[in-house]
Amino acid sequence: MYQYNDKDQTLINERVVQFRDQTERFLKGEIPDDKYRALRLMNGVYVQTHAPLLRVAGPYGLLSSKQVRKLASIARDYDKGFCHFTTRQNIQFNWPALERVPDILEELASVQMHAIQTSGNCLRNTTSDQLAGVAIDELEDPRPYCEIIRQWTIFHPEFAYLPRKFKIAVSGAKLDRAATQFHDIGLHLVQNEHGEVGFKVFVGGGLGRTPVIGQVIKPFLEKKHLLSYLEAILRIYNLYGRRDNKYKARIKILVREAGLAKIRKKIDAEWALIKHKLELSPERIKEIQEQFRPPNYQLDAVQDTSYADKLANNADFATWVKHNTAEHKIDGYRAAYISLKAPDSPPGDCTESQLDTIADLADQYSFGMVRVTHRQNLVLADIKQADLFDLWQKLDAINCATPNIGKATDMICCPGLDYCSLANAGSIGVAKEINETLDSMDYVHDLGDLKINISGCMNGCAHQSVGHIGILGVDKKGVEWYQVTLGGSSENDAAIGERLGPAVSKQDIAPVIKILLEVYLEQRIDEDEPFLATVRRVGIGPFKEKTYATN
Amino acid sequence: MQLIKDKQITQDNWVYIVDETPLKADYIIVSLVRWRQERNQLSKIKHLGLRLEPDVELEEIANDLSHFQLIELYFPVFTDGRAFTHARLLRSRYGFTGDIRASGDFMRDQVFYLNRVGVTSFELNDQENAQQVIQSMHDFSVDYQESVA
């Protein structure tokens, strides 16, 4: 993984000093609330219902075991013993005291971490595929480009005060695991007709109040032009994005109001003026790629026979392997998911002792690296098949081996009313109730691939509009209600879910989900037809009919 | 009034003249509206500056830049980041070599960025903290992107 050089380290050390000074000036009353608000947000600090929230950057989701141990110690020393992993591969602490945030930043800086631009109207953490570098369907590892973009975005002097937040995601695989079409800019590594690898560029995607699927603005961008093209898009957005209404300020609205053709023309005109100045040299790309070289895989890993024996003789292990591991490009290795979706704990949360164990397991089995997924789980990407059984047992011992990755109980869930000052309704409680309804693992497995996303308000942090089943909390005269959508997807077949009908009450939401799943089981052609395919084939009619007939 | 120019505290000789009031000063800054209306008369003034609001289209004034010794980028609100692009383009695209000044609601914590995109002087909202404002221009000793200044 990328190791900081002196410059990177100096920059984050100086940031700690700067933010400490800003916070001290605020606490002394020398910076007004509105100005400090902008400054603290650009350092991931929110003022929340119960306490400030600190969002730490997880660059494209890649963490070292040392960093994971640091997160554990911060959770112990500054928080209530846990942290939360987000859909943007970041890490949140929910209870730090504002005056201690500079100390936390100093701790983070000691392991090459920071909270720069994890919130605010600026360029945010660049996200990617959790299987980057190991996926069998990958054209090229996207992480070197993520790192190049990371450096370009940090303290970019021209784009620090954008109309609104700006998110970039990069995918290098056939299957889009990074929801790139729902980002302000989505980048897919693709091959052109001459066999050259470059980027297909999507622009104007986004979730939140107005979910929009990104459109292709450039079918093929040469690698050397990556930064100049991003700069051209950002410059046009900075100049022409709306600043009169924060709900209309994202680039998706600019693209919609002006039209893709007009925006493309403007961006291309800008790009033509700067592309020669900001070229990425092959040497620069190679230098960064060197930092993401494959680890020293054991080429005889595939010779091991114990794995096949264990699979044949231990049904629980086999179930876990089937659902919680993924194929690896090296024979004899698999990528293993660490499920943070145990039925009895809030989705995406991880305790300090779990973090410590995970760091140890990463060191022991996976070259000391951990990845954060877009769906709020973790991955140990390089596990020898001979080690999978031991790893499974050790994960099981810390409640991280629930075999539910990509299944109904692997829900994306925002903190909701429990923590968030924006929320209109609870979400963690709903996830818990759904879990209680789906208490049979066999039933969950029978339901197959199913993505349920739950957001406590229309800001949509849990991406409910692209859930196969989306649940959105709304407030009706002080009472929590839930709107349900069906048929969303954030993958290659990107789609925004269709509303099922009127919102349902809190007590009805879990039973309604149960009804929807029963309708699916009745309607599917066979076990091979996943939920999403059935919804697309039969439409929402049968689901709607059953839901509202019984309510 | 005090001013920070080229990282030094200095006396501000320039005066912004409100539209439709007499041009009584040696160093005069005018609005874009006034420049467009009174261009002929104004171009005779020796020391002339132009105030730009964030909604300006720089291209439309690119050919007029030689008339000005100073461009003032006015911040109606500190969150409006268009001036950052304007400063950068004035320097790198339109070759403006005079003084670029920030005024209005910008804050100390933005001067590091503003300095990097080519702003050379800062009207002080808070006279007492001039030294700290200068210090903030050195918040970082390293960066990832090219600076204009």
Side-chain angles (χ1 to χ4, degrees):
Chain A
M1 71 187 280
Y2 183 76
Q3 296 299 313
Y4 276 14
N5 57 30
D6 287 348
K7 178 166 126 177
D8 302 306
Q9 189 65 48
T10 302
L11 188 102
I12 59 165
N13 291 348
E14 289 175 349
R15 171 54 159 184
V16 175
V17 174
Q18 185 196 41
F19 191 73
R20 190 182 292 283
D21 174 61
Q22 289 170 345
T23 302
E24 280 168 7
R25 280 190 280 139
F26 170 71
L27 293 171
K28 280 193 277 184
E30 292 172 14
I31 308 182
D33 275 359
D34 66 323
K35 293 204 163 65
Y36 181 68
R37 181 175 177 276
L39 297 175
R40 68 171 163 76
L41 285 178
M42 279 192 232
N43 208 66
V45 179
Y46 287 76
V47 174
Q48 292 287 308
T49 307
H50 298 289
L53 174 156
L54 174 64
R55 184 182 294 147
V56 176
Y60 33 93
L62 191 57
L63 301 172
S64 70
S65 55
K66 196 176 168 189
Q67 292 172 330
V68 173
R69 278 192 198 92
K70 180 57 82 177
L71 296 174
S73 81
I74 290 171
R76 257 191 310 274
D77 299 342
Y78 297 87
D79 208 286
K80 295 192 173 180
F82 68 95
C83 71
H84 177 77
F85 290 95
T86 79
T87 57
R88 291 198 55 73
Q89 301 178 303
N90 289 323
I91 306 101
Q92 288 180 182
F93 293 101
N94 265 303
W95 309 92
L98 179 61
E99 52 273 26
R100 296 191 77 192
V101 168
D103 297 335
I104 300 177
L105 296 182
E106 198 169 321
E107 300 248 15
L108 290 169
S110 72
V111 293
Q112 311 191 343
M113 292 184 88
H114 60 76
I116 297 164
Q117 290 165 217
T118 53
S119 184
N121 297 329
C122 52
L123 289 156
R124 302 287 192 86
N125 185 36
T126 298
T127 54
S128 190
D129 180 354
Q130 69 269 10
L131 299 181
V134 305
I136 50 165
D137 64 340
E138 188 170 89
L139 181 64
E140 196 181 310
D141 189 343
R143 293 171 303 174
Y145 305 100
C146 292
E147 176 56 30
I148 288 168
I149 295 168
R150 184 194 75 83
Q151 295 185 16
W152 174 78
T153 57
I154 296 287
F155 299 139
H156 195 296
E158 186 181 341
F159 307 129
Y161 290 85
L162 296 170
R164 198 76 177 87
K165 58 188 167 185
F166 203 95
K167 301 173 177 180
I168 303 172
V170 192
S171 166
K174 284 205 185 89
L175 177 65
D176 179 6
R177 282 172 288 260
T180 55
Q181 293 178 74
F182 290 99
H183 283 72
D184 297 285
I185 294 176
L187 297 164
H188 286 188
L189 281 154
V190 291
Q191 208 161 23
N192 70 6
E193 63 269 29
H194 308 297
E196 296 158 345
V197 175
F199 299 98
K200 185 180 195 175
V201 185
F202 293 80
V203 72
L207 294 167
R209 287 169 186 246
T210 319
V212 178
I213 298 170
Q215 302 184 70
V216 177
I217 189 161
K218 193 156 278 302
F220 189 83
L221 177 71
E222 287 177 77
K223 288 174 177 179
K224 65 178 179 185
H225 294 314
L226 174 63
L227 293 184
S228 59
Y229 197 67
L230 293 184
E231 185 146 313
I233 295 176
L234 262 298
R235 184 163 294 144
I236 295 305
Y237 172 58
N238 191 39
L239 288 176
Y240 301 106
R242 285 181 61 171
R243 290 173 186 271
D244 59 327
N245 179 342
K246 74 180 252 198
Y247 300 117
K248 295 186 173 172
R250 295 287 291 271
I251 196 172
K252 62 191 171 191
I253 306 295
L254 177 65
V255 172
R256 190 179 72 189
E257 289 183 352
L260 182 67
K262 200 173 157 200
I263 284 296
R264 180 187 281 132
K265 206 173 150 197
K266 260 187 141 67
I267 289 169
D268 280 345
E270 178 62 36
W271 184 46
L273 295 170
I274 60 173
K275 63 201 277 192
H276 61 286
K277 287 190 203 164
L278 208 59
E279 261 189 30
L280 271 176
S281 67
E283 293 76 32
R284 172 73 178 146
I285 294 172
K286 193 146 184 287
E287 180 196 343
I288 302 290
Q289 280 173 332
E290 282 295 303
Q291 301 239 21
F292 294 90
R293 270 198 316 267
N296 292 320
Y297 292 120
Q298 289 177 16
L299 296 177
D300 60 355
V302 72
Q303 308 297 330
D304 157 80
T305 54
S306 67
Y307 174 58
D309 287 348
K310 295 267 175 31
L311 276 181
N313 295 314
N314 189 319
D316 288 344
F317 174 58
T319 299
W320 177 78
V321 168
K322 181 178 173 195
H323 297 290
N324 285 24
T325 69
E327 279 188 86
H328 196 291
K329 66 179 182 186
I330 305 292
D331 279 348
Y333 281 83
R334 291 186 78 78
Y337 283 82
I338 298 172
S339 173
L340 300 182
K341 309 293 177 67
D344 50 354
S345 58
D349 278 9
C350 201
T351 68
E352 41 96 9
S353 64
Q354 285 173 328
L355 288 165
D356 274 336
T357 305
I358 289 164
D360 292 346
L361 295 175
D363 280 339
Q364 195 176 351
Y365 299 116
S366 199
F367 303 100
M369 277 179 286
V370 180
R371 291 122 180 268
V372 184
T373 82
H374 159 63
R375 290 193 64 83
Q376 302 181 291
N377 293 299
L378 302 177
V379 169
L380 297 173
D382 302 292
I383 310 293
K384 273 189 294 187
Q385 64 183 39
D387 291 336
L388 280 165
F389 188 79
D390 287 352
L391 175 69
W392 167 64
Q393 289 189 311
K394 289 172 182 172
L395 286 176
D396 193 42
I398 58 167
N399 203 22
C400 285
T402 311
N404 62 352
I405 297 298
K407 304 298 179 295
T409 54
D410 182 10
M411 291 172 269
I412 297 184
C413 185
C414 72
L417 209 51
D418 293 273
Y419 300 108
C420 177
S421 55
L422 300 174
N424 294 320
S427 46
I428 296 172
V430 173
K432 192 159 176 273
E433 279 177 36
I434 293 172
N435 259 305
E436 283 160 7
T437 309
L438 304 176
D439 60 348
S440 154
M441 213 62 221
D442 286 342
Y443 181 70
V444 167
H445 289 153
D446 186 34
L447 292 169
D449 287 342
L450 180 53
K451 296 190 165 103
I452 302 180
N453 297 355
I454 311 167
S455 288
C457 78
M458 67 196 302
N459 291 304
C461 293
H463 305 176
Q464 81 289 344
S465 50
V466 293
H468 299 169
I469 298 176
I471 300 172
L472 166 64
V474 289
D475 173 276
K476 284 193 185 179
K477 295 177 184 159
V479 181
E480 296 162 63
W481 286 71
Y482 295 88
Q483 270 171 15
V484 178
T485 49
L486 294 182
S489 168
S490 64
E491 293 177 354
N492 302 56
D493 57 351
I496 291 157
E498 191 181 344
R499 244 174 92 174
L500 184 67
V504 301
S505 71
K506 192 171 189 178
Q507 66 195 38
D508 286 333
I509 185 66
V512 162
I513 299 305
K514 179 80 175 172
I515 291 167
L516 296 175
L517 300 178
E518 293 300 326
V519 174
Y520 157 64
L521 293 176
E522 283 162 28
Q523 293 283 338
R524 71 181 177 187
I525 293 170
D526 56 30
E527 288 174 16
D528 293 331
E529 186 180 57
F531 182 87
L532 184 59
T534 303
V535 172
R536 286 181 175 172
R537 182 173 53 80
V538 305
I540 66 164
F543 295 91
K544 189 170 183 166
E545 203 174 300
K546 211 54 171 276
T547 301
Y548 296 101
T550 49
N551 278 278
Chain B
M1 197 173 166
Q2 282 195 326
L3 180 85
I4 293 172
K5 186 165 184 233
D6 300 326
K7 301 184 181 176
Q8 306 279 332
I9 301 168
T10 165
Q11 201 56 37
D12 186 7
N13 299 321
W14 291 86
V15 182
Y16 175 69
I17 308 289
V18 176
D19 288 356
E20 293 170 22
T21 60
L23 298 164
K24 281 188 193 160
D26 292 333
Y27 293 82
I28 286 171
I29 303 173
V30 295
S31 73
L32 185 57
V33 171
R34 188 160 192 167
W35 165 250
R36 283 178 171 152
Q37 284 167 355
E38 302 171 26
R39 186 192 169 100
N40 287 340
Q41 191 199 340
L42 289 170
S43 22
K44 293 171 198 147
I45 291 172
K46 195 172 167 200
H47 304 293
L48 186 65
L50 179 68
R51 176 188 280 197
L52 297 179
E53 305 265 347
D55 60 356
V56 64
E57 284 282 351
L58 280 189
E59 236 178 79
E60 293 173 10
I61 56 142
N63 294 329
D64 294 349
L65 289 173
S66 57
H67 293 281
F68 307 107
Q69 292 180 348
L70 174 147
I71 300 285
E72 175 187 336
L73 300 176
Y74 176 74
F75 281 79
V77 55
F78 75 98
T79 50
D80 194 329
R82 287 177 284 187
F84 294 78
T85 291
H86 294 150
R88 189 175 191 141
L89 294 183
L90 282 169
R91 292 287 185 226
S92 64
R93 182 160 304 163
Y94 301 110
F96 184 72
T97 53
D99 188 20
I100 298 180
R101 164 186 296 206
S103 70
D105 189 44
F106 75 91
M107 59 174 160
R108 166 182 160 182
D109 304 275
Q110 292 175 309
V111 299
F112 170 74
Y113 293 120
L114 286 166
N115 191 238
R116 284 190 58 200
V117 292
V119 174
T120 36
S121 67
F122 299 87
E123 266 186 32
L124 290 172
N125 300 315
D126 175 357
Q127 299 288 320
E128 285 169 20
N129 288 326
Q131 279 307 338
Q132 291 174 332
V133 176
I134 294 170
Q135 198 186 311
S136 287
M137 290 177 208
H138 302 281
D139 275 353
F140 296 94
S141 62
V142 289
D143 55 56
Y144 288 122
Q145 311 81 7
E146 268 187 34
S147 297
V148 175

